[in-house]
Amino acid sequence: MTPTDLTRLDAQLQRLHLHYIQSHYQALATKAAEQQRSHLDYLEQLVEGEATMRENRSIERRIRNARFPVLKSLDDFQWSWPKKINRPQIQNLFRLAFIATQTNVVLIGNVGLGKTHLSIALGRAACLNGHSVLFTTAVDIINTLAAAQSAGRLKREFQRYLKPAVLIVDELGYLPIDKHGADLLFQIISQRYERAPIVITTNL
């Protein structure tokens, strides 16, 4: 191909947002020729690389949109504390069957037992498996909805908590909630009921 042909091809790949193919087609073409690989093998390698890069970007976007305060995984969890935790039950949650069955998950325990860690790890696992997630606290939900109600945009703000496939509500019960706040939180829970799951951590 002439330099003009390559410039035209690069422009077309850029316009189609085929960034992996644009960055690698020349090097992989040279390698394929050296290894006497078929055109189909070369094409498969390019397409596979493009698909992998897009999936990785989708995962990164879902994790970013989830707004986890930190990233945690089940591998990082200290099973030695608390000693009475039901490990098989926790591990079973990470099969993510609760998403398909639209079943809520409630993690109950005192402060410092790893509830937030597990909820973040569970949300991260959901992101890796293609599900949208939002992590927030009960107080943040109430404050956000109360401000939205005062500004006359409550209905639109509700969608923020109804749209994700998994909503994680951390620290329910850690701070006192007045009746108005409880009513706002209840609306989120009731509207998601049997439609999309909620993961709740609480000390109650």
Side-chain angles (χ1 to χ4, degrees):
M1 297 180 72
T2 66
T4 301
D5 292 333
L6 291 175
T7 299
R8 186 182 304 113
L9 177 57
D10 281 336
Q12 291 171 335
L13 292 172
Q14 180 71 27
R15 187 162 53 250
L16 293 171
H17 304 290
L18 298 173
H19 303 300
Y20 179 89
I21 293 177
Q22 182 184 2
S23 300
H24 293 80
Y25 75 89
Q26 293 192 61
L28 290 179
T30 300
K31 187 175 181 180
E34 292 173 351
Q35 297 176 348
Q36 298 184 339
R37 300 178 64 183
S38 70
H39 292 88
L40 285 179
D41 285 343
Y42 167 63
L43 178 61
E44 180 185 18
Q45 189 173 11
L46 281 175
V47 172
E48 183 178 356
E50 184 71 38
T52 298
M53 188 177 76
R54 290 192 177 200
E55 176 59 21
N56 289 339
R57 285 182 174 177
S58 294
I59 290 172
E60 290 172 1
R61 182 171 60 254
R62 287 192 294 271
I63 290 177
R64 184 171 60 251
N65 291 340
R67 299 189 176 183
F68 299 119
V70 293
L71 282 181
K72 299 287 186 179
S73 71
L74 189 60
D75 292 337
D76 302 329
F77 190 72
Q78 298 298 320
W79 293 105
S80 58
W81 175 263
K83 295 181 179 179
K84 293 183 179 180
I85 194 168
N86 189 329
R87 183 168 181 170
Q89 187 177 35
I90 294 296
Q91 291 174 323
N92 185 57
L93 283 177
F94 282 76
R95 294 174 52 246
L96 304 179
F98 72 94
I99 299 177
T101 59
Q102 300 171 348
T103 302
N104 294 331
V105 175
V106 182
L107 303 173
I108 305 173
N110 294 325
V111 176
L113 298 184
K115 300 184 301 300
T116 298
H117 182 135
L118 289 173
S119 70
I120 292 173
L122 195 58
R124 177 177 176 273
C127 288
L128 294 176
N129 281 270
H131 302 287
S132 58
V133 176
L134 177 62
F135 179 96
T136 185
T137 65
V139 171
D140 281 345
I141 290 179
I142 292 169
N143 290 341
T144 300
L145 293 180
Q149 189 173 40
S150 299
R153 49 183 177 81
L154 182 60
K155 185 176 181 180
R156 185 175 64 184
E157 198 64 39
F158 265 127
Q159 295 306 311
R160 177 184 176 189
Y161 302 106
L162 300 179
K163 187 176 180 179
V166 179
L167 175 65
I168 301 174
V169 181
D170 196 29
E171 299 181 345
L172 178 62
Y174 282 68
L175 294 174
I177 299 174
D178 60 18
K179 183 180 184 305
H180 182 242
D183 288 342
L184 290 172
L185 188 59
F186 176 76
Q187 289 184 60
I188 295 296
I189 294 173
S190 63
Q191 290 188 49
R192 288 185 64 94
Y193 182 67
E194 293 187 344
R195 297 180 184 178
I198 303 177
V199 177
I200 296 174
T201 72
T202 179
N203 62 345
L204 298 178

